[in-house]
């Protein structure tokens, strides 16, 4: 579908941080959101951005650069339970929302 | 209660049979979506509905149709199911606005196996 790309896998260490990258190319832009999905469960909304810059929401922060078609989700003070798949989703000018394939984050002790 | 409910949760059908997946939401959301998710992959958009009887195709509409006769209900229909339609189907809903429209509420999914 519309191009939303994420790396397949990411590994980090408990207590540190992880940055999940997302690049997109869609028919217009009307917002970008991030979801967490655990195995066998539905995605859960984390954050959305519509303007450029960094949005700090504590444990999760989100950055957006519309001119570069780029976003990242930053998780700080990682815990083992943060291990999950993180999905990037972009809303186009027709309000359709397209997802990337997800990045599987593994947090090691 | 802010909930999206999908029925049935699990379904096994024979190739060629018809399938009806139902979705309901109690938040008066205008917009509703149907996605499918295959193992290790993200969600693929099948259809979007902007409100009652206002539906539009997503990326993979072939083999599917939808119905929205009430704002709170959105159905996905497979006429003559195929084995490659085996998947987990997620329904989601949101308000229409710029900010709120980026917040999707998902149902728990309907796991369909076509044999």
């Amino acid at each position: 579908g519309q191009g939303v790309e994420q790396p397949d896998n990411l590994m980090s260490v408990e207590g540190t941080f992880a940055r999940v990258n997302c690049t997109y190319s869609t028919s217009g832009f009307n917002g970008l959101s991030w979801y967490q999905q655990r195995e066998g469960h539905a995605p859960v909304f984390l954050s959305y951005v519509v303007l450029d810059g960094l949005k700090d929401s504590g444990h999760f922060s989100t950055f957006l650069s519309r001119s570069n078609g780029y976003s990242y989700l930053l998780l700080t003070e990682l815990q083992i339970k943060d291990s999950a798949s993180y999905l990037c989703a972009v809303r186009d000018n027709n309000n359709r929302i397209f997802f990337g394939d997800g990045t599987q984050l593994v947090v090691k002790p | 209660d802010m909930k999206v409910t999908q029925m049935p949760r699990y379904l096994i059908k024979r190739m060629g049979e018809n399938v009806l997946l139902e979705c309901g939401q109690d938040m008066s959301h205008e917009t509703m979506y149907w996605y499918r998710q295959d193992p290790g992959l993200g969600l693929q958009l099948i259809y979007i509905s902007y409100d009652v009887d206002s539906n539009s195709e997503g990326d993979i509409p072939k083999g599917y149709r939808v119905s929205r006769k009430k704002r709170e209900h959105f159905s996905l229909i497979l006429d003559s199911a195929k084995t490659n339609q085996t998947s987990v189907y997620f329904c989601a809903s949101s308000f229409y606005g710029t900010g709120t429209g980026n917040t999707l509420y998902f149902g728990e999914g309907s796991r369909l196996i076509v044999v």
Side-chain angles (χ1 to χ4, degrees), chain B residues 9-11 21 35-39 41-44 46 60 64 78 82-90 109-114:
Chain B
R9 295 289 314 280
Y10 303 93
L11 191 59
L21 302 180
Y35 291 91
R36 66 176 280 177
Q37 187 175 36
D38 298 306
L41 297 179
L43 294 99
Q44 295 177 273
I46 306 172
I60 53 163
Y64 304 95
L78 289 68
K82 300 172 181 54
T83 55
N84 62 8
Q85 292 177 307
T86 293
S87 190
V88 179
Y89 291 87
F90 285 103
S110 295
R111 185 175 297 273
L112 170 66
I113 298 173
V114 183

Side-chain angles (χ1 to χ4, degrees), chain A residues 41-107:
Chain A
H41 292 275
V44 174
F45 172 79
L46 295 176
S47 175
Y48 80 85
V49 283
V50 294
L51 299 175
D52 289 350
L54 184 67
K55 181 180 177 182
D56 186 355
S57 303
H59 185 49
F60 300 104
S61 297
T62 312
F63 173 82
L64 176 68
S65 171
R66 286 174 295 173
S67 61
N68 293 310
Y70 170 69
S71 173
Y72 67 73
L73 175 72
L74 181 69
L75 298 87
T76 56
E77 297 182 25
L78 284 171
Q79 302 175 49
I80 301 295
K81 67 178 183 179
D82 289 322
S83 297
S85 181
Y86 291 87
L87 305 174
C88 173
V90 178
R91 190 178 182 212
D92 71 6
N93 279 346
N94 291 313
N95 295 318
R96 298 178 303 174
I97 296 180
F98 297 96
F99 283 79
D101 285 348
T103 297
Q104 186 67 43
L105 173 64
V106 173
V107 180

Side-chain angles (χ1 to χ4, degrees), chain B residues 3 6 13-14 28 33-34 63 68 73 79 83 88 90:
Chain B
K3 197 169 183 181
Q6 292 185 231
K13 285 286 194 178
R14 295 187 185 279
S28 296
Y33 302 79
W34 276 107
R68 191 155 180 216
H73 290 133
D79 294 316
T83 55
V88 179
F90 285 103

